[in-house]
């Protein structure tokens, strides 16, 4: 990597890091107190509430390291000091303590921990005991993951929720929101994002990314219709529920967490050196552009201004620092509880000239006044994203890196000018210097969020409660991008190579606001072995978006960033849209003797996005569960702690179809005349269809939940069938009918996702040592069932009946032409044997050989077919963790199998960098080369040759920590200090070279910003 000179701020952070590391390794634990003379002998037996002995229970003298564990008969013996306190603990049970004053024999009965027995998970409009769930719900406790050194909180979910596929779209600072798919892709439209609610208020995946991990209590994912149908038309793609921390009845507890993180790219491409690149340029263009003398200069570096050897990936990317600091206060009394927090986050991007700063605050307050409960949630953030004027992904700077730079040109000449030509005859117009592009102009991108929610709850009578809430959300983005005059380009001698252009300024302003009111009535009723829970609710919400953009050119200097400084080509555009939703919903839960569970959900939604004839729709679900271990016939099966069978069926809706899909919009682009005066008129843009209705997703789910040996081992299995029908499509229609109009939307498509999920966890302990392990596996098969016979081809992908959504589409490569026999391969056409040609030409040795799919003897685009599946066959993860006294270690691995991605190159336009895989291309001297010959456009076609297998197994997180709890800390008002070292993406095992295997399927040219590897040192302090 090029070494960037650290500024004073960075030097300060490095010094701080070294100081904290010294403290980490120098602070020693207070040694165990030596036993006093005349110690007391204590013996005993530990059993559970049923009288069964507990093996491996921890027996420790409090405040010392003196301890033992119970044997095979639950017995123990320990020597303690007079007046000592003895603590007995075991996983899944409440701890007990005894003050020892004389030798004694204890009979200890540990009670099951109700917190584990009554563990609750967040579900729609409330919580439920995990043991009583009838639907498929997965959850992550953020206490276990909050220390992960990532810039984006949503990335902490990756691999931890079976059936949830999270894919990073690059790690550009401030623009690294991942793609999340729950149980596959269910619709043919672009929006397959799940519904997200933060503390009950509808939000977005990007907003999860911005919440400090230390503010989050849990994240629940509702995967089946039984759990998600309570959200009706917004739940077809699954639901993610984020719950933030709330105040507790305790003395004020102040907590600080902070870390400093070193970021590096996970992988950068290894490009050809300049001499090899120049030789291949000559070969690809059949020219002598680079002479033997030039190539020698490229090899020996004797003329770096004209014949450089630049590693452009190394020049663009850097090692960068990131640090974050979070401070919170949690406390309260029986009547008032509060949680207040603030965070400062500062990230330098690994790409030069990129970065991100964010400021967050959150305030959750609860008050109880007799039968009335009141609450107020406030949260907000400001984000400042540093980025170049030229976009990074897509056809921007990442495209420049691979396609518009070459290693023969230096980043800068020795005269200080930016490099743009080498010593050959190649024109500077064929070259774009990304570092020059990034350094030019000025872009300010600021984003503001504010979320507020006030709610009240009235306990009318025992069991009957009414709750009402009003929420308001506000989001604003302001962007100002100034592009300077076309910078004069110079060669190494200082000669001007281009003329001056004009400069321009674009201002962009975007605002979203949402109001949500919910009113919910709940009633809990129990009679003998029968328990009922009723919920009825009403919700209304209104959304509005406004955006405008203005631009001007002709600024007198490149130092004026205000619109009034422009003198020409002023332009203003703007638009707005609104939508609203009204819903009525209800739920009934029935529990008989904790053995038989039933749940019914129903939601009746009305949306302004639908025409009046179909504005309202109803979405029901039914689910049930049988807790078999509460039956008498399983009472004596000691190893089986719990066994539950689940089944559910239900319907969900999808309203993410645009705001005005049912009507014909007007475009202000028609001209008409009154006399000699030209006026702008309005014309329809599309044919209206006021008979469209909801896209509907129907899900059937069967599940098994089990645990063994007092809960040490737990497992969950689900099989599901998810079918989405009435998908909106624009089917082709005769141009004689449409004219210049777009085709109307019609309910015409159907897609199925079918799969399974398995997860298992193990936890145990012996004395001061505890350990845990877990894994998850999931697989989803996606298939388009109906498109009314229509195929939708988009570049290198296709939507076709019987195939997955977005299937890879191209020619089927069957190898390279390596022999004369290959060149003379034949097929039978109209009863005659003919030699197969490619695009009406005879191929040459070293060309890619394609399959003649249609059998006409000539390879053309008509021979394209489905060549791959963009979805993985399976995704998996596993975790391991250990703890001994105050030391803890954990690791988390995540991976996918059966995954393919395009890794496409051109063989003819050899103007940009190429990776070292091209060292092994076909030539007369290398007839067995793995890459095709250079200079043939046939080889540039999208084909299976360019599909790479990108299965990977990645060490997503490794963390080691130590917690100091010595009594001496109390003198400083400190309860505990935890220091830790952590890293992400530390190891990756994959067959793919040069690029990160984790990327979205739409990226065929490796145009995505690289992902990051991080190394972190952090501290958590509780006062």
């Amino acid at each position: 990597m090029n070494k960037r000179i650290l500024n004073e701020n960075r030097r300060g952070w490095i010094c701080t890091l070294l100081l904290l590391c010294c403290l980490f390794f120098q602070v020693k634990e207070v040694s165990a107190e030596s036993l006093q003379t005349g110690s007391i002998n204590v013996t005993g037996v530990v059993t559970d509430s049923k009288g069964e002995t507990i093996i491996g229970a921890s027996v420790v003298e409090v405040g010392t390291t003196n301890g033992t564990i119970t044997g095979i008969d639950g017995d123990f013996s320990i020597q303690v000091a007079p007046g000592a306190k003895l603590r007995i603990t075991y996983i899944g049970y409440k701890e007990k303590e005894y003050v020892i004053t004389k030798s004694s024999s204890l009979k200890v009965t540990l009670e099951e921990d109700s917190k584990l027995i009554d563990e609750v998970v967040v579900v729609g409009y409330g919580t439920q005991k995990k043991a009583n769930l009838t639907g498929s719900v997965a959850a992550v406790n953020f206490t276990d993951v909050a220390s992960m050194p990532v810039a984006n909180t949503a990335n902490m979910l990756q691999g931890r929720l079976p059936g949830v596929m999270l894919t990073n779209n690059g790690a550009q600072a401030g623009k690294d929101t991942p793609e999340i798919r729950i149980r596959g892709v269910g619709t043919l439209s672009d929006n397959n994002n799940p519904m997200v609610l933060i503390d009950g208020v509808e939000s977005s995946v990007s907003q999860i990314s911005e919440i400090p991990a230390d503010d989050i209590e849990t994240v629940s994912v509702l995967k089946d219709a039984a759990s998600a149908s309570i959200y009706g038309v917004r739940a077809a793609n699954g639901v993610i529920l984020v719950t933030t921390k709330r105040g507790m009845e305790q003395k004020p507890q102040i907590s600080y967490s902070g870390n400093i993180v070193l970021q590096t790219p996970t992988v950068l491409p290894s490009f050809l050196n300049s001499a090899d690149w120049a030789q291949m340029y000559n070969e690809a263009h059949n020219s002598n552009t680079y002479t033997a003398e030039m190539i020698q200069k490229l090899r020996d570096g004797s003329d770096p201004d004209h014949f450089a050897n630049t590693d452009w990936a190394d020049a663009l990317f850097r090692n960068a620092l990131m640090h974050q600091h979070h401070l919170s206060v949690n406390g309260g009394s029986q009547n008032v509880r509060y949680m207040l927090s603030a965070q400062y986050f500062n990230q330098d991007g690994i790409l030069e000239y990129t970065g991100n700063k964010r400021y967050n605050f959150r305030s959750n307050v609860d008050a109880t006044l007799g039968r009335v409960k009141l609450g107020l949630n406030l949260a907000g953030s400001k984000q400042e994203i540093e980025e170049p004027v030229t976009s990074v992904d897509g056809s921007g700077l990442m495209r420049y890196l691979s396609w518009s730079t070459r290693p023969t040109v230096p980043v800068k000449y020795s005269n200080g000018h930016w490099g743009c030509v080498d010593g050959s005859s190649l024109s500077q117009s064929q070259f774009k210097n990304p570092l020059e592009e990034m350094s030019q102009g000025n872009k300010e991108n600021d984003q503001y969020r504010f979320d507020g929610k006030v709610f009240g709850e009235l306990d009318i009578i025992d069991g009957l409660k009414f709750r009402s809430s009003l929420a308001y959300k506000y989001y604003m983005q302001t962007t100002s991008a100034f592009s300077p005059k076309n910078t004069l380009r110079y060669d190494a001698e200082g000669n001007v190579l281009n003329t001056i252009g004009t400069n321009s300024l674009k201002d962009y302003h975007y605002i979203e606001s949402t109001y949500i009111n919910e009113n919910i009535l709940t009633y809990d009723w129990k009679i003998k072995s029968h328990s009922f829970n009723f919920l009825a609710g009403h919700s209304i919400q209104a959304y509005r978006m406004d955006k405008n953009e203005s631009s001007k050119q002709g600024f007198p200097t490149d130092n004026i960033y205000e619109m009034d400084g422009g003198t020409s080509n002023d332009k203003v555009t703007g638009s707005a849209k609104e939508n609203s939703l009204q819903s009525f919903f209800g739920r009934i839960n029935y529990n008989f003797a904790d053995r038989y569970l039933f749940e019914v959900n129903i939601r009746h939604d009305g949306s302004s996005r639908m025409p009046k004839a179909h504005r309202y729709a109803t979405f029901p679900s039914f689910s049930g569960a049988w807790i078999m271990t509460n039956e008498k016939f399983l009472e004596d099966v000691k190893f089986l702690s719990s066994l539950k069978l689940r089944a559910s069926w239900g319907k969900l809706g999808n309203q993410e179809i645009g705001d005005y899909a049912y009507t014909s919009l007007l475009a202000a682009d028609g001209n008409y005349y009154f006399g000699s005066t030209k006026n702008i008129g309005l014309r329809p843009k599309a044919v209206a269809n006021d008979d469209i209705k909801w896209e509907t997703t129907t899900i059937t789910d069967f599940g098994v939940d089990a645990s063994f040996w007092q809960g040490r081992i737990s497992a969950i299995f689900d099989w599901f069938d998810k079918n989405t029908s009435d998908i909106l499509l624009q089917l082709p229609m005769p141009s004689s009918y449409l004219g210049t109009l777009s085709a109307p939307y019609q309910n015409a498509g159907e897609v199925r996702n079918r799969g399974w999920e398995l997860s298992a966890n193990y936890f145990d302990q012996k004395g001061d040592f505890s350990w845990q392990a877990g894994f998850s596996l999931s697989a989803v098969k996606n298939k388009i069932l109906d498109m009314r016979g229509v195929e939708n081809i988009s570049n290198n992908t296709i939507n076709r009946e019987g195939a997955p959504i977005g299937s890879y589409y191209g020619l089927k490569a069957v190898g390279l032409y390596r022999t004369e026999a290959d060149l003379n391969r034949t097929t039978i056409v109209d009863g005659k044997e003919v030699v197969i040609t490619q695009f009406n030409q005879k191929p040459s040795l070293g060309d890619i050989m394609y399959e003649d799919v249609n059998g006409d003897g000539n390879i053309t685009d008509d021979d394209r077919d489905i060549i791959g599946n963009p979805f993985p066959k399976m995704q998996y993860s596993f975790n391991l963790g250990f703890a001994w006294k105050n030391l803890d270690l954990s690791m988390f691995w995540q991976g996918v199998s059966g995954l393919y991605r395009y890794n496409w190159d051109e063989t003819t336009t050899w103007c940009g960098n190429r990776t070292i895989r091209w060292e092994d291309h076909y030539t007369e001297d290398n007839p067995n080369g793995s890459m095709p010959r250079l200079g043939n456009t046939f080889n540039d076609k999208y084909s299976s040759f360019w599909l790479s297998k990108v299965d990977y197994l990645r060490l997503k997180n490794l963390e080691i920590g130590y917690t100091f709890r010595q009594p001496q800390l109390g003198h400083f008002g400190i309860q505990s200090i935890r220091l830790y070292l952590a890293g992400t993406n530390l190891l990756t095992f994959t067959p793919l070279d040069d690029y990160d295997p984790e990327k979205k399927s739409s990226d065929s040219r490796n145009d995505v910003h690289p992902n990051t590897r991080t190394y972190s040192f952090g501290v958590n302090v509780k006062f």
Side-chain angles (χ1 to χ4, degrees), residues 37-301:
T37 305
S39 60
I40 299 171
N41 182 53
V42 182
T43 61
V45 175
V46 180
T47 63
D48 62 17
S49 58
K50 296 178 181 179
E52 298 289 334
T53 58
I54 296 178
I55 305 170
S58 174
V59 182
V60 177
E61 181 181 356
V62 177
T64 75
T65 57
N66 178 35
T68 185
I69 60 174
T70 57
I72 194 169
D73 296 320
D75 58 324
F76 68 90
S77 177
I78 188 173
Q79 299 282 331
V80 299
K85 182 182 290 186
L86 206 61
R87 178 182 295 145
I88 297 97
T89 60
Y90 190 69
I91 183 65
Y93 294 84
K94 293 181 179 179
E95 67 178 38
K96 280 197 172 180
E97 292 186 350
Y98 297 87
V99 177
I100 307 300
T101 57
K102 61 182 179 179
S103 296
S104 58
S105 179
L106 300 177
K107 185 174 181 180
V108 180
T109 301
L110 294 182
E111 298 177 0
E112 292 181 319
D113 191 342
S114 61
K115 290 182 179 179
L116 296 177
I117 298 173
D118 299 333
E119 182 182 354
V120 297
V121 294
V122 178
V123 296
Y125 298 104
T127 60
Q128 284 188 17
K129 290 183 181 180
K130 190 174 183 180
N132 292 342
L133 285 175
T134 58
S136 181
V137 180
V140 175
N141 187 330
F142 257 64
T143 302
D144 302 328
V145 299
S147 298
M148 278 187 67
V150 295
N152 189 311
T153 304
N155 285 330
M156 295 180 176
L157 302 176
Q158 187 171 31
R160 300 181 185 275
L161 299 159
V164 179
M165 182 75 178
L166 186 148
T167 303
N168 284 301
N169 291 328
Q172 181 187 345
K175 293 194 170 183
D176 53 353
T177 299
E179 174 185 272
I180 298 179
R181 298 292 179 258
I182 299 175
R183 289 184 168 180
V185 175
T187 180
L188 297 170
S189 68
D190 293 333
N191 194 339
N192 277 275
N193 294 327
M195 179 185 184
V196 174
L197 293 102
I198 300 174
D199 288 334
V201 179
E202 188 171 357
S203 303
S204 63
V205 173
S206 62
Q207 197 164 351
I208 299 178
S209 304
E210 299 168 10
I211 302 177
D214 289 299
D215 279 354
I216 299 177
E217 186 75 31
T218 61
V219 172
S220 295
V221 177
L222 314 182
K223 297 184 288 184
D224 68 341
S227 56
S229 65
I230 196 71
Y231 291 109
V233 300
R234 298 168 292 168
N237 297 318
V239 181
I240 299 177
L241 304 177
V242 180
T243 304
T244 61
K245 295 177 180 178
R246 308 201 71 80
M248 300 175 66
E249 186 179 337
Q250 61 181 13
K251 292 181 179 179
Q253 182 180 83
I254 302 173
S255 299
Y256 165 81
S257 66
N259 61 24
I260 181 168
V261 182
L262 175 65
Q263 309 163 94
T264 67
T266 53
V267 61
L268 290 177
S270 297
F271 290 131
L272 292 168
N273 64 53
S274 58
D276 290 344
W277 181 92
Q279 286 182 321
M280 293 185 201
Y281 181 91
N282 289 344
E283 186 179 342
H285 294 272
N286 193 23
S287 69
N288 194 31
T289 302
Y290 291 93
T291 65
E293 181 183 1
M294 294 176 181
I295 291 175
Q296 180 58 37
K297 290 182 179 180
L298 291 170
R299 290 200 186 280
D300 61 30

Side-chain angles (χ1 to χ4, degrees), residues 522-539:
T522 60
Y523 183 55
D524 293 308
W525 178 49
K526 184 174 182 179
I527 179 171
K528 296 184 179 180
S529 298
H530 305 274
S531 297
F532 296 88
N533 173 268
F534 302 92
L535 180 148
H538 172 256
S539 173

Side-chain angles (χ1 to χ4, degrees), residues 507-673:
D507 284 348
Y508 176 78
H509 196 69
Y510 180 95
I511 293 177
E512 286 182 347
S513 59
T514 306
Y515 297 87
I516 305 172
N517 170 242
E518 292 181 337
N519 301 279
I520 301 172
L521 188 68
T522 60
Y523 183 55
D524 293 308
W525 178 49
K526 184 174 182 179
I527 179 171
K528 296 184 179 180
S529 298
H530 305 274
S531 297
F532 296 88
N533 173 268
F534 302 92
L535 180 148
H538 172 256
S539 173
I540 54 174
Q541 70 178 62
Y543 166 89
R544 180 178 174 91
M545 179 278 293
D546 293 270
K547 66 178 180 180
N548 57 71
E549 184 175 276
S550 58
S551 63
K552 254 186 180 182
Q553 295 180 338
F555 290 79
T557 77
D558 286 343
N559 299 316
I560 296 177
Y561 303 149
E562 299 299 333
M563 199 61 68
D564 282 351
T567 60
S568 63
N569 294 332
D570 50 320
K571 182 179 179 182
V572 178
T573 62
S575 63
K577 63 180 180 180
E578 294 180 328
N579 63 65
S580 58
L581 183 72
Q582 177 172 232
S583 308
F584 304 88
F585 51 91
R587 178 169 61 213
I588 300 175
N589 291 93
Y590 171 67
N591 180 332
F592 175 70
D594 286 332
R595 297 204 300 271
Y596 310 111
L597 311 173
F598 298 96
E599 181 175 309
V600 178
N601 287 275
I602 191 166
R603 186 167 181 124
H604 187 63
D605 276 322
S607 172
S608 64
R609 288 177 167 173
M610 286 293 135
K612 289 184 178 180
H614 302 289
R615 184 147 292 172
Y616 281 86
T618 302
F619 303 94
S621 73
F622 306 90
S623 59
W626 178 23
I627 304 179
M628 298 177 66
T629 40
N630 288 342
E631 299 286 358
K632 291 184 178 181
F633 63 83
L634 286 178
E635 283 183 350
D636 296 328
V637 183
K638 301 299 182 182
F639 72 90
L640 187 61
S641 302
S642 67
L643 178 62
K644 179 172 66 175
L645 305 182
R646 295 180 281 105
S648 68
W649 175 92
K651 288 188 174 184
L652 306 168
N654 180 23
Q655 72 156 7
E656 300 304 324
I657 57 174
D659 288 299
Y660 310 106
Y662 65 89
T663 189
S664 178
L665 301 179
L666 298 176
D669 60 359
N671 296 326
Y672 66 96
Y673 288 85

Side-chain angles (χ1 to χ4, degrees), residues 741-759:
L741 302 178
S742 300
Y745 283 95
Q746 302 179 54
N747 295 103
E750 186 174 358
V751 172
R752 184 183 70 200
N753 288 277
R754 182 178 288 172
W756 55 269
E757 303 157 1
L758 173 65
S759 63

